[in-house]
Amino acid sequence: MNQNNRKSVYDVIVSGAGPVGLFLSCELALSKCSVLILEKTKSPHSPLKQIPFGIRGLSTPSIEALYRRGLLEELEVHKRLKNPHQNSGQGSRRQAGHFAGIPFYEEDIDTSQWTHRLLSSTETSLISEMEELETLLTRRAQFLGVRIERGLALTSFDQTEEGVTVHSDDRTFQGKWLVGCDGSRSLVRKCGGFEFVGTEPEFTGYSAQVEIADPEKLRPGRNVTPTGMYLQSQPGYLVIQDFDGGEFHNSKRRITREHIQKVLRRISNTDVTVAALHTATTWTDRARQATAYRNGRVLLAGDAAHIHSPLGGQGLNLGLGDVMNLGWKLAATLQDRAPEGLLDSYQKERHPIGAQVLDWSRAQVAIMKPAPYARALNAIFRDLINTRDGTTYIAGRVWGIFTRYDLGNAHRFAGHSVPNFEFEDGTKIGELLNDGQGMLVDFNGDPSLETLARGYKNLNYISRKVKDRSGFSALLIRPDGIVAWASDDQPDHKELQTAIHLWFVRNEGTE
Ligand SMILES: Cc1cc2nc3c(=O)[nH]c(=O)nc-3n(C[C@H](O)[C@H](O)[C@H](O)COP(=O)(O)OP(=O)(O)OC[C@H]3O[C@@H](n4cnc5c(N)ncnc54)[C@H](O)[C@@H]3O)c2cc1C
């Protein structure tokens, strides 16, 4: 298809060139779909996407997704999740994250409890910078042929059974599908009749770059105080939580120097002076989720589908997980090779993960509130998190270690991310997933498995000697790196064929 022709019908129109829209476009283009992204802003650059406000913790599933598409090594800002400002007073212990402001440390995590994460050699958590991640994904999307139109906002759309007409003021674009990746205030969600339900905010959060006349009056690191929380991540870069029921954020009043100073003084219980205000934005802990992620030919992903407070830093990870799950399913649907129900499995698998993250953020807010009951619970949580099991549990949740889809398959690994098995020639399974295809991995070199696999299109067959098979004989892996079927002994062909048909074959019988 000629992508320069404005009358073209795109396979997919994506609204929003944030990290989620960009990564989805890459996934679709990898599967040879034509994609147009409409992005409201003219420039991708914003001070709020740069360090330190643009810092995002990447969880294990996000790291694995980027690794499996050959993108991880291109991220220069990746390094272990640690913040020297948060480590003060703790000797050389490395902070690995926090729950409700209660830090936990790498040294206290017992990774041997994560038995389903055998052999994975990717990092479990990294930090990245929004601007760098978006630049990398933009470059990749353009390389794969995605058309990105900046400065064009989706303003409305209409859908029929055949496709979607998208309007950007007086311009129109045709697509077979539309995906709203247009963030927390998603117009696709609002115009598309999606129900968005949840809980109202307890606080207004501020991210602000300021000049402080007397910085010694503020304590370093994250400070949960009787009236809220403040964090000075670098000199002059503030994050504040003010438990005002979200009143200031909702009022849409301008953020002034005087206002920031007033809030900071109250929360830090000091008479600190904010001499100048350079940049500021507000956010809340409002937690809502779309009840359905699909309405006809319109889908939602990322913040468009779910919003919650950034506590514990999971929104970006949730969104990247959405589109790693959605991309190959939508491509298969477009190319008439999807088994029945494949696209619906997007909502089935991702909605419960989103709901868990919303509850995770609510639980933190509940014990951060400046109220006696919350303070009492907070003290108990602090004690529990400071145990080895407590730290291991919290780290596992924050890093997405326990993410598992219910695929209706009883094998202990089904629904989990595939371990990163290393073959004797030094290659690893993750690297072989670069092309976004499904894969049957045969550790025994079984000729009957090869014959079976060769009967299917869009399924790679790999038979190589592995360094440590950890008891497995064969594995069926979806394009998103999820184990769809696994065998410890002699593979049961019938069971394997059922799994292949469930994920890869449109009709009965081989293609
Ligand atoms: C202070 C803070 C700290 C955070 N820390 C973390 C963290 O450590 N880890 C983590 O995982 N998450 C974190 N998050 C959350 C994370 O930033 C978001 O979840 C993530 O950016 C969502 O990506 P997205 O692409 O869905 O939406 P966005 O990043 O909001 O992108 C949406 C895009 O759509 C565009 N758009 C909007 N409307 C339209 C329209 N009508 N037409 C066309 N384009 C449109 C916007 O301009 C934007 O470019 C944090 C959030 C905040 C506020």
PDB file of all heavy atoms in Angstrom, residues 434-462:
ATOM      1  N   ASN A 434      12.792 -12.248  17.889  1.00  0.00           N
ATOM      2  CA  ASN A 434      12.887 -10.919  17.259  1.00  0.00           C
ATOM      3  C   ASN A 434      11.898 -10.696  16.131  1.00  0.00           C
ATOM      4  O   ASN A 434      11.484  -9.572  15.872  1.00  0.00           O
ATOM      5  CB  ASN A 434      14.294 -10.705  16.680  1.00  0.00           C
ATOM      6  CG  ASN A 434      15.292 -10.249  17.721  1.00  0.00           C
ATOM      7  OD1 ASN A 434      16.344  -9.781  17.382  1.00  0.00           O
ATOM      8  ND2 ASN A 434      14.969 -10.386  19.001  1.00  0.00           N
ATOM      9  N   ASP A 435      11.530 -11.757  15.399  1.00  0.00           N
ATOM     10  CA  ASP A 435      10.656 -11.559  14.229  1.00  0.00           C
ATOM     11  C   ASP A 435       9.169 -11.574  14.578  1.00  0.00           C
ATOM     12  O   ASP A 435       8.321 -11.450  13.708  1.00  0.00           O
ATOM     13  CB  ASP A 435      10.957 -12.604  13.149  1.00  0.00           C
ATOM     14  CG  ASP A 435      10.623 -14.028  13.602  1.00  0.00           C
ATOM     15  OD1 ASP A 435      10.198 -14.202  14.771  1.00  0.00           O
ATOM     16  OD2 ASP A 435      10.781 -14.960  12.805  1.00  0.00           O
ATOM     17  N   GLY A 436       8.853 -11.730  15.867  1.00  0.00           N
ATOM     18  CA  GLY A 436       7.452 -11.651  16.294  1.00  0.00           C
ATOM     19  C   GLY A 436       6.602 -12.852  15.891  1.00  0.00           C
ATOM     20  O   GLY A 436       5.374 -12.759  15.857  1.00  0.00           O
ATOM     21  N   GLN A 437       7.231 -13.975  15.586  1.00  0.00           N
ATOM     22  CA  GLN A 437       6.489 -15.190  15.224  1.00  0.00           C
ATOM     23  C   GLN A 437       6.383 -16.122  16.439  1.00  0.00           C
ATOM     24  O   GLN A 437       7.206 -16.050  17.340  1.00  0.00           O
ATOM     25  CB  GLN A 437       7.228 -15.955  14.120  1.00  0.00           C
ATOM     26  CG  GLN A 437       7.395 -15.192  12.829  1.00  0.00           C
ATOM     27  CD  GLN A 437       6.110 -15.138  12.030  1.00  0.00           C
ATOM     28  OE1 GLN A 437       5.471 -16.146  11.789  1.00  0.00           O
ATOM     29  NE2 GLN A 437       5.719 -13.943  11.629  1.00  0.00           N
ATOM     30  N   GLY A 438       5.414 -17.027  16.391  1.00  0.00           N
ATOM     31  CA  GLY A 438       5.339 -18.075  17.400  1.00  0.00           C
ATOM     32  C   GLY A 438       6.437 -19.102  17.137  1.00  0.00           C
ATOM     33  O   GLY A 438       7.036 -19.129  16.056  1.00  0.00           O
ATOM     34  N   MET A 439       6.699 -19.959  18.120  1.00  0.00           N
ATOM     35  CA  MET A 439       7.841 -20.865  17.983  1.00  0.00           C
ATOM     36  C   MET A 439       7.598 -22.183  18.720  1.00  0.00           C
ATOM     37  O   MET A 439       7.128 -22.182  19.850  1.00  0.00           O
ATOM     38  CB  MET A 439       9.065 -20.152  18.583  1.00  0.00           C
ATOM     39  CG  MET A 439      10.348 -20.829  18.292  1.00  0.00           C
ATOM     40  SD  MET A 439      11.776 -19.770  18.591  1.00  0.00           S
ATOM     41  CE  MET A 439      11.546 -19.032  20.061  1.00  0.00           C
ATOM     42  N   LEU A 440       7.934 -23.287  18.027  1.00  0.00           N
ATOM     43  CA  LEU A 440       7.949 -24.583  18.700  1.00  0.00           C
ATOM     44  C   LEU A 440       9.419 -24.932  18.941  1.00  0.00           C
ATOM     45  O   LEU A 440      10.196 -25.020  17.998  1.00  0.00           O
ATOM     46  CB  LEU A 440       7.278 -25.650  17.837  1.00  0.00           C
ATOM     47  CG  LEU A 440       7.278 -27.062  18.432  1.00  0.00           C
ATOM     48  CD1 LEU A 440       6.516 -27.130  19.752  1.00  0.00           C
ATOM     49  CD2 LEU A 440       6.685 -28.071  17.454  1.00  0.00           C
ATOM     50  N   VAL A 441       9.787 -25.091  20.192  1.00  0.00           N
ATOM     51  CA  VAL A 441      11.179 -25.391  20.525  1.00  0.00           C
ATOM     52  C   VAL A 441      11.266 -26.847  20.943  1.00  0.00           C
ATOM     53  O   VAL A 441      10.534 -27.290  21.826  1.00  0.00           O
ATOM     54  CB  VAL A 441      11.685 -24.504  21.690  1.00  0.00           C
ATOM     55  CG1 VAL A 441      13.167 -24.720  21.907  1.00  0.00           C
ATOM     56  CG2 VAL A 441      11.415 -23.049  21.411  1.00  0.00           C
ATOM     57  N   ASP A 442      12.162 -27.557  20.274  1.00  0.00           N
ATOM     58  CA  ASP A 442      12.304 -28.994  20.501  1.00  0.00           C
ATOM     59  C   ASP A 442      13.715 -29.260  21.012  1.00  0.00           C
ATOM     60  O   ASP A 442      14.686 -29.117  20.281  1.00  0.00           O
ATOM     61  CB  ASP A 442      12.041 -29.677  19.139  1.00  0.00           C
ATOM     62  CG  ASP A 442      12.342 -31.153  19.164  1.00  0.00           C
ATOM     63  OD1 ASP A 442      12.558 -31.693  20.261  1.00  0.00           O
ATOM     64  OD2 ASP A 442      12.358 -31.754  18.079  1.00  0.00           O
ATOM     65  N   PHE A 443      13.826 -29.624  22.277  1.00  0.00           N
ATOM     66  CA  PHE A 443      15.160 -29.832  22.855  1.00  0.00           C
ATOM     67  C   PHE A 443      15.723 -31.222  22.547  1.00  0.00           C
ATOM     68  O   PHE A 443      16.888 -31.502  22.791  1.00  0.00           O
ATOM     69  CB  PHE A 443      15.115 -29.656  24.378  1.00  0.00           C
ATOM     70  CG  PHE A 443      14.863 -28.234  24.818  1.00  0.00           C
ATOM     71  CD1 PHE A 443      14.141 -27.964  25.973  1.00  0.00           C
ATOM     72  CD2 PHE A 443      15.353 -27.165  24.092  1.00  0.00           C
ATOM     73  CE1 PHE A 443      13.908 -26.666  26.397  1.00  0.00           C
ATOM     74  CE2 PHE A 443      15.131 -25.853  24.503  1.00  0.00           C
ATOM     75  CZ  PHE A 443      14.406 -25.605  25.649  1.00  0.00           C
ATOM     76  N   ASN A 444      14.848 -32.118  22.027  1.00  0.00           N
ATOM     77  CA  ASN A 444      15.278 -33.508  21.818  1.00  0.00           C
ATOM     78  C   ASN A 444      15.600 -33.837  20.370  1.00  0.00           C
ATOM     79  O   ASN A 444      15.971 -34.969  20.073  1.00  0.00           O
ATOM     80  CB  ASN A 444      14.174 -34.477  22.279  1.00  0.00           C
ATOM     81  CG  ASN A 444      14.143 -34.589  23.785  1.00  0.00           C
ATOM     82  OD1 ASN A 444      15.119 -34.240  24.444  1.00  0.00           O
ATOM     83  ND2 ASN A 444      13.037 -35.052  24.328  1.00  0.00           N
ATOM     84  N   GLY A 445      15.373 -32.886  19.446  1.00  0.00           N
ATOM     85  CA  GLY A 445      15.595 -33.160  18.018  1.00  0.00           C
ATOM     86  C   GLY A 445      14.688 -34.279  17.540  1.00  0.00           C
ATOM     87  O   GLY A 445      15.118 -35.191  16.829  1.00  0.00           O
ATOM     88  N   ASP A 446      13.447 -34.219  17.906  1.00  0.00           N
ATOM     89  CA  ASP A 446      12.470 -35.280  17.605  1.00  0.00           C
ATOM     90  C   ASP A 446      11.923 -35.080  16.179  1.00  0.00           C
ATOM     91  O   ASP A 446      11.213 -34.096  15.926  1.00  0.00           O
ATOM     92  CB  ASP A 446      11.363 -35.162  18.657  1.00  0.00           C
ATOM     93  CG  ASP A 446      10.237 -36.162  18.457  1.00  0.00           C
ATOM     94  OD1 ASP A 446      10.168 -36.761  17.377  1.00  0.00           O
ATOM     95  OD2 ASP A 446       9.418 -36.301  19.390  1.00  0.00           O
ATOM     96  N   PRO A 447      12.251 -35.979  15.211  1.00  0.00           N
ATOM     97  CA  PRO A 447      11.831 -35.769  13.814  1.00  0.00           C
ATOM     98  C   PRO A 447      10.304 -35.658  13.670  1.00  0.00           C
ATOM     99  O   PRO A 447       9.807 -34.934  12.805  1.00  0.00           O
ATOM    100  CB  PRO A 447      12.342 -37.003  13.075  1.00  0.00           C
ATOM    101  CG  PRO A 447      13.204 -37.744  14.030  1.00  0.00           C
ATOM    102  CD  PRO A 447      12.973 -37.242  15.406  1.00  0.00           C
ATOM    103  N   SER A 448       9.553 -36.357  14.514  1.00  0.00           N
ATOM    104  CA  SER A 448       8.088 -36.308  14.369  1.00  0.00           C
ATOM    105  C   SER A 448       7.560 -34.925  14.766  1.00  0.00           C
ATOM    106  O   SER A 448       6.572 -34.441  14.217  1.00  0.00           O
ATOM    107  CB  SER A 448       7.422 -37.406  15.204  1.00  0.00           C
ATOM    108  OG  SER A 448       7.598 -37.139  16.574  1.00  0.00           O
ATOM    109  N   LEU A 449       8.251 -34.266  15.689  1.00  0.00           N
ATOM    110  CA  LEU A 449       7.823 -32.906  16.065  1.00  0.00           C
ATOM    111  C   LEU A 449       8.107 -31.932  14.923  1.00  0.00           C
ATOM    112  O   LEU A 449       7.317 -31.038  14.626  1.00  0.00           O
ATOM    113  CB  LEU A 449       8.582 -32.425  17.303  1.00  0.00           C
ATOM    114  CG  LEU A 449       8.002 -32.698  18.673  1.00  0.00           C
ATOM    115  CD1 LEU A 449       8.681 -31.805  19.703  1.00  0.00           C
ATOM    116  CD2 LEU A 449       6.504 -32.475  18.709  1.00  0.00           C
ATOM    117  N   GLU A 450       9.245 -32.146  14.254  1.00  0.00           N
ATOM    118  CA  GLU A 450       9.585 -31.268  13.140  1.00  0.00           C
ATOM    119  C   GLU A 450       8.542 -31.417  12.030  1.00  0.00           C
ATOM    120  O   GLU A 450       8.051 -30.422  11.480  1.00  0.00           O
ATOM    121  CB  GLU A 450      10.985 -31.592  12.599  1.00  0.00           C
ATOM    122  CG  GLU A 450      11.320 -30.716  11.416  1.00  0.00           C
ATOM    123  CD  GLU A 450      12.788 -30.731  11.011  1.00  0.00           C
ATOM    124  OE1 GLU A 450      13.529 -31.586  11.510  1.00  0.00           O
ATOM    125  OE2 GLU A 450      13.143 -29.869  10.185  1.00  0.00           O
ATOM    126  N   THR A 451       8.177 -32.646  11.703  1.00  0.00           N
ATOM    127  CA  THR A 451       7.166 -32.876  10.659  1.00  0.00           C
ATOM    128  C   THR A 451       5.862 -32.192  11.054  1.00  0.00           C
ATOM    129  O   THR A 451       5.213 -31.518  10.243  1.00  0.00           O
ATOM    130  CB  THR A 451       6.922 -34.398  10.506  1.00  0.00           C
ATOM    131  OG1 THR A 451       8.181 -35.025  10.385  1.00  0.00           O
ATOM    132  CG2 THR A 451       6.063 -34.707   9.292  1.00  0.00           C
ATOM    133  N   LEU A 452       5.498 -32.348  12.299  1.00  0.00           N
ATOM    134  CA  LEU A 452       4.247 -31.725  12.772  1.00  0.00           C
ATOM    135  C   LEU A 452       4.314 -30.195  12.622  1.00  0.00           C
ATOM    136  O   LEU A 452       3.424 -29.569  12.051  1.00  0.00           O
ATOM    137  CB  LEU A 452       4.015 -32.114  14.226  1.00  0.00           C
ATOM    138  CG  LEU A 452       2.713 -31.688  14.893  1.00  0.00           C
ATOM    139  CD1 LEU A 452       2.330 -32.704  15.972  1.00  0.00           C
ATOM    140  CD2 LEU A 452       2.789 -30.317  15.536  1.00  0.00           C
ATOM    141  N   ALA A 453       5.420 -29.621  13.070  1.00  0.00           N
ATOM    142  CA  ALA A 453       5.557 -28.148  13.061  1.00  0.00           C
ATOM    143  C   ALA A 453       5.573 -27.600  11.644  1.00  0.00           C
ATOM    144  O   ALA A 453       5.005 -26.537  11.367  1.00  0.00           O
ATOM    145  CB  ALA A 453       6.819 -27.738  13.790  1.00  0.00           C
ATOM    146  N   ARG A 454       6.217 -28.304  10.726  1.00  0.00           N
ATOM    147  CA  ARG A 454       6.341 -27.809   9.354  1.00  0.00           C
ATOM    148  C   ARG A 454       4.983 -27.735   8.660  1.00  0.00           C
ATOM    149  O   ARG A 454       4.839 -27.109   7.616  1.00  0.00           O
ATOM    150  CB  ARG A 454       7.280 -28.699   8.522  1.00  0.00           C
ATOM    151  CG  ARG A 454       8.696 -28.775   9.065  1.00  0.00           C
ATOM    152  CD  ARG A 454       9.509 -27.533   8.739  1.00  0.00           C
ATOM    153  NE  ARG A 454      10.861 -27.640   9.293  1.00  0.00           N
ATOM    154  CZ  ARG A 454      11.516 -26.662   9.888  1.00  0.00           C
ATOM    155  NH1 ARG A 454      10.949 -25.478  10.045  1.00  0.00           N
ATOM    156  NH2 ARG A 454      12.738 -26.835  10.342  1.00  0.00           N
ATOM    157  N   GLY A 455       3.983 -28.349   9.227  1.00  0.00           N
ATOM    158  CA  GLY A 455       2.640 -28.289   8.636  1.00  0.00           C
ATOM    159  C   GLY A 455       1.921 -26.978   8.926  1.00  0.00           C
ATOM    160  O   GLY A 455       0.796 -26.767   8.452  1.00  0.00           O
ATOM    161  N   TYR A 456       2.537 -26.105   9.688  1.00  0.00           N
ATOM    162  CA  TYR A 456       1.864 -24.853  10.061  1.00  0.00           C
ATOM    163  C   TYR A 456       2.656 -23.644   9.587  1.00  0.00           C
ATOM    164  O   TYR A 456       3.880 -23.588   9.761  1.00  0.00           O
ATOM    165  CB  TYR A 456       1.706 -24.767  11.583  1.00  0.00           C
ATOM    166  CG  TYR A 456       0.833 -25.858  12.152  1.00  0.00           C
ATOM    167  CD1 TYR A 456       1.388 -27.014  12.678  1.00  0.00           C
ATOM    168  CD2 TYR A 456      -0.554 -25.725  12.137  1.00  0.00           C
ATOM    169  CE1 TYR A 456       0.586 -28.024  13.186  1.00  0.00           C
ATOM    170  CE2 TYR A 456      -1.361 -26.732  12.646  1.00  0.00           C
ATOM    171  CZ  TYR A 456      -0.784 -27.885  13.171  1.00  0.00           C
ATOM    172  OH  TYR A 456      -1.580 -28.878  13.664  1.00  0.00           O
ATOM    173  N   LYS A 457       1.918 -22.673   9.027  1.00  0.00           N
ATOM    174  CA  LYS A 457       2.553 -21.394   8.672  1.00  0.00           C
ATOM    175  C   LYS A 457       2.662 -20.549   9.942  1.00  0.00           C
ATOM    176  O   LYS A 457       1.989 -20.810  10.919  1.00  0.00           O
ATOM    177  CB  LYS A 457       1.669 -20.637   7.688  1.00  0.00           C
ATOM    178  CG  LYS A 457       1.730 -21.141   6.271  1.00  0.00           C
ATOM    179  CD  LYS A 457       0.949 -20.156   5.396  1.00  0.00           C
ATOM    180  CE  LYS A 457       0.300 -20.889   4.255  1.00  0.00           C
ATOM    181  NZ  LYS A 457      -0.885 -20.194   3.764  1.00  0.00           N
ATOM    182  N   ASN A 458       3.449 -19.529   9.888  1.00  0.00           N
ATOM    183  CA  ASN A 458       3.566 -18.579  11.004  1.00  0.00           C
ATOM    184  C   ASN A 458       3.987 -19.234  12.310  1.00  0.00           C
ATOM    185  O   ASN A 458       3.644 -18.758  13.391  1.00  0.00           O
ATOM    186  CB  ASN A 458       2.243 -17.824  11.230  1.00  0.00           C
ATOM    187  CG  ASN A 458       1.799 -17.101   9.990  1.00  0.00           C
ATOM    188  OD1 ASN A 458       2.564 -16.316   9.433  1.00  0.00           O
ATOM    189  ND2 ASN A 458       0.596 -17.389   9.537  1.00  0.00           N
ATOM    190  N   LEU A 459       4.676 -20.350  12.209  1.00  0.00           N
ATOM    191  CA  LEU A 459       5.194 -20.999  13.417  1.00  0.00           C
ATOM    192  C   LEU A 459       6.619 -21.445  13.123  1.00  0.00           C
ATOM    193  O   LEU A 459       6.838 -22.282  12.248  1.00  0.00           O
ATOM    194  CB  LEU A 459       4.306 -22.207  13.776  1.00  0.00           C
ATOM    195  CG  LEU A 459       4.657 -22.920  15.077  1.00  0.00           C
ATOM    196  CD1 LEU A 459       4.449 -22.007  16.276  1.00  0.00           C
ATOM    197  CD2 LEU A 459       3.804 -24.186  15.242  1.00  0.00           C
ATOM    198  N   ASN A 460       7.574 -20.853  13.807  1.00  0.00           N
ATOM    199  CA  ASN A 460       8.961 -21.269  13.611  1.00  0.00           C
ATOM    200  C   ASN A 460       9.218 -22.560  14.384  1.00  0.00           C
ATOM    201  O   ASN A 460       8.626 -22.771  15.447  1.00  0.00           O
ATOM    202  CB  ASN A 460       9.920 -20.185  14.129  1.00  0.00           C
ATOM    203  CG  ASN A 460       9.840 -18.913  13.301  1.00  0.00           C
ATOM    204  OD1 ASN A 460       9.475 -18.960  12.126  1.00  0.00           O
ATOM    205  ND2 ASN A 460      10.159 -17.781  13.906  1.00  0.00           N
ATOM    206  N   TYR A 461      10.082 -23.391  13.821  1.00  0.00           N
ATOM    207  CA  TYR A 461      10.473 -24.625  14.520  1.00  0.00           C
ATOM    208  C   TYR A 461      11.967 -24.529  14.829  1.00  0.00           C
ATOM    209  O   TYR A 461      12.776 -24.257  13.947  1.00  0.00           O
ATOM    210  CB  TYR A 461      10.185 -25.845  13.640  1.00  0.00           C
ATOM    211  CG  TYR A 461      10.779 -27.120  14.197  1.00  0.00           C
ATOM    212  CD1 TYR A 461      10.171 -27.774  15.260  1.00  0.00           C
ATOM    213  CD2 TYR A 461      11.953 -27.659  13.658  1.00  0.00           C
ATOM    214  CE1 TYR A 461      10.732 -28.940  15.782  1.00  0.00           C
ATOM    215  CE2 TYR A 461      12.509 -28.822  14.172  1.00  0.00           C
ATOM    216  CZ  TYR A 461      11.894 -29.450  15.233  1.00  0.00           C
ATOM    217  OH  TYR A 461      12.443 -30.612  15.756  1.00  0.00           O
ATOM    218  N   ILE A 462      12.318 -24.708  16.095  1.00  0.00           N
ATOM    219  CA  ILE A 462      13.723 -24.621  16.494  1.00  0.00           C
ATOM    220  C   ILE A 462      14.111 -25.912  17.198  1.00  0.00           C
ATOM    221  O   ILE A 462      13.463 -26.307  18.168  1.00  0.00           O
ATOM    222  CB  ILE A 462      13.945 -23.453  17.510  1.00  0.00           C
ATOM    223  CG1 ILE A 462      13.472 -22.118  16.941  1.00  0.00           C
ATOM    224  CG2 ILE A 462      15.404 -23.378  17.966  1.00  0.00           C
ATOM    225  CD1 ILE A 462      14.342 -21.560  15.849  1.00  0.00           C
TER     226      ILE A 462
END
